[in-house]
Amino acid sequence: MKTLDDLDVAGKRVFVRADLNVPLSGETITDDGRIRAVAPTIAKLAQSGAKVVVASHLGRPKGAPDPQFSLAPVARRLGELLGRDVVFAADTVGDSARAAVAALADGQVVLLENLRFNPGETSKDDAERGAFADALAALADLYVGDGFGAVHRRHASVYDLPARLPHAAGQLVTAEVGVLRRLTEDVARPYAVVLGGSKVSDKIGVIENLLDKADRILVGGGMVFTFLKAKGYEVGSSLLQEDQIPVVQEYLERAEKAGVEFVLPVDVAVSASFPDVKGGAPVEDFEVVPADAMPEGRLGLDIGPESGRLFASKLADAATVFWNGPMGVFEHPAFAEGTKAVAQGLLDSPAFTVVGGGDSAAAVRTLGFDENAFGHISTGGGASLEYLEGKTLPGLAALED
């Protein structure tokens, strides 16, 4: 896979497929981590005299312009981070985009409007995707893939476009792939994996693939209640995927035979209903109960304090840790302690620590941790998981020669 150093970019139009899919509240960016992650690649290209054409998706518009998913606020923030003006094109391959790109001088940057405003970006029809990729290719001389959070998608700008232009991986993608190789090839042991989030079904593939790679798998978040139910415990009104119970039971049995330690919470923070995370109002019926004695009508919303200490102890002597998914509803102070305990456990461990994108990365920043203190914070939770599942990621395959 070629890198930026393999490209002669001076005076060339360089199309950068970034992942600028940031959370917005109106036009306010609430977490700019993904913009900051790709900014070094864009800055290096601009400083090398390239005419930089940046493109990304944001949210899930339905193949047509939708103001709530506009990248205009991102253009402003990107300009602040780069310390240079970023021109914003009001479309992807239309008059505004073509005019903005044609007017670029060496070292200047333009950001196109949301790629998903065009149905060709996400189409399952090869011809429709290809036609959109052709239109994008007309805007550039070279392609740089640096949107790691999208490399598991077979989309026009991720998969089809690199086939039409000389291409290389950006600095972010290069770094992300290097980290993931450390999690899959010659892993330093003990290797501990912490999985959270809401659904077991979202993590089945990675659990399957890690059963012969990890030494310990720690489970929290909403997905843990399917594990607790599989062990015969009552889980009150907690999130439960009944159809996954047989699969979980099989994994627990296989793990025991393989000598892989599954660590489940011993206590759980519960309430009668889901909290108001925006208002952050106190939870009057908050209580901590044993994981094997959850009362009827109670909803598990975080691992308990004893579980937090248990999880931290299981990370203390690890050499490698991968964490994907919060331990509870971290957006509310009452149910953030489990996620805090895991984050602190990673920081206290001597291990090479990887935070696997998505909600985990947001939690680290929201809860006030220094993200530079972790070994690596990924920008792509879904892409990281699919890589660990052993899947071929279309956006990475497209960058190979």
Side-chain angles (χ1 to χ4, degrees):
M1 186 183 294
K2 290 182 179 179
T3 67
L4 288 189
D5 294 335
D6 297 312
L7 296 180
D8 177 11
V9 303
K12 304 284 182 61
R13 299 171 302 164
V14 181
F15 188 102
V16 179
R17 198 341 176 155
D19 177 12
L20 303 173
N21 185 27
V22 295
L24 292 172
S25 176
E27 292 193 0
T28 301
I29 298 168
T30 57
D31 183 351
D32 67 355
R34 284 178 168 165
I35 308 175
R36 287 185 287 112
V38 75
T41 288
I42 298 170
K44 182 174 182 177
L45 288 168
Q47 290 160 7
S48 299
K51 301 171 182 178
V52 189
V53 182
V54 184
S56 175
H57 69 287
L58 192 154
R60 296 180 181 273
K62 301 185 184 300
D66 185 336
Q68 68 177 319
F69 296 117
S70 174
L71 281 165
V74 175
R76 292 191 289 271
R77 181 58 180 146
L78 179 60
E80 292 170 358
L81 291 168
L82 293 175
R84 64 178 70 219
D85 289 337
V86 171
V87 178
F88 181 64
D91 54 30
T92 53
V93 292
D95 292 342
S96 178
R98 290 194 295 269
V101 172
L104 284 177
D106 294 355
Q108 290 187 328
V109 180
V110 62
L111 174 62
L112 306 181
E113 183 56 284
N114 194 334
L115 290 165
R116 291 184 183 175
F117 285 0
N118 189 303
E121 170 68 1
T122 59
S123 177
K124 293 183 179 179
D125 180 79
D126 290 349
E128 186 176 17
R129 276 200 333 275
F132 185 48
D134 287 340
L136 291 172
L139 300 174
D141 305 303
L142 303 170
Y143 177 92
V144 171
D146 216 27
F148 181 73
V151 294
H152 58 314
R153 305 296 188 191
R154 196 182 179 96
H155 291 170
S157 65
V158 176
Y159 179 75
D160 302 272
L161 183 55
R164 289 158 166 78
L165 295 169
H167 50 263
Q171 294 180 142
L172 175 60
V173 162
T174 301
E176 294 270 16
V177 171
V179 166
L180 288 170
R181 284 177 176 157
R182 289 184 65 175
L183 297 177
T184 54
E185 303 169 14
D186 299 321
V187 184
R189 298 186 178 279
Y191 179 17
V193 176
V194 187
L195 297 176
S198 59
K199 295 181 179 179
V200 174
S201 54
D202 292 339
K203 304 293 196 304
I204 284 297
V206 73
I207 295 172
E208 170 81 34
N209 206 41
L210 288 171
L211 280 175
D212 62 353
K213 293 183 175 67
D215 299 298
R216 299 172 195 145
I217 301 177
L218 289 62
V219 182
M223 64 182 284
V224 79
F225 299 105
T226 303
F227 278 83
L228 295 175
K229 187 70 172 180
K231 290 177 69 69
Y233 302 159
E234 292 304 319
V235 296
S237 55
S238 303
L239 182 65
L240 179 64
Q241 289 187 284
E242 294 268 7
D243 62 319
Q244 299 294 326
I245 290 175
V247 180
V248 168
Q249 288 173 329
E250 178 195 344
Y251 285 166
L252 291 172
E253 292 169 5
R254 284 174 53 189
E256 186 174 3
K257 291 177 182 176
V260 176
E261 183 182 10
F262 256 102
V263 183
L264 303 178
V266 293
D267 58 350
V268 180
V270 302
S271 175
S273 60
F274 200 87
D276 175 12
V277 296
K278 288 189 176 179
V283 179
E284 295 181 1
D285 57 357
F286 172 93
E287 63 176 324
V288 176
V289 300
D292 59 357
M294 287 186 61
E296 186 176 345
R298 285 288 188 267
L299 179 66
L301 295 165
D302 192 15
I303 63 172
E306 189 176 342
S307 300
R309 290 188 287 272
L310 171 65
F311 281 26
S313 74
K314 296 295 182 179
L315 303 177
D317 66 341
T320 305
V321 179
F322 172 73
W323 172 29
N324 180 277
M327 297 295 99
V329 185
F330 72 90
E331 299 90 343
H332 192 286
F335 303 106
E337 294 305 313
T339 303
K340 285 182 182 177
V342 166
Q344 190 61 51
L346 265 70
L347 292 182
D348 293 341
S349 172
F352 172 61
T353 56
V354 179
V355 181
D359 287 341
S360 309
V364 163
R365 290 188 278 266
T366 299
L367 297 176
F369 290 93
D370 178 6
E371 56 189 298
N372 295 317
F374 297 87
H376 180 74
I377 295 184
S378 177
T379 56
S384 296
L385 288 176
E386 290 199 15
Y387 191 101
L388 293 181
E389 287 175 35
K391 292 183 177 179
T392 296
L393 305 188
L396 295 184
L399 296 176
E400 298 287 354
D401 292 319

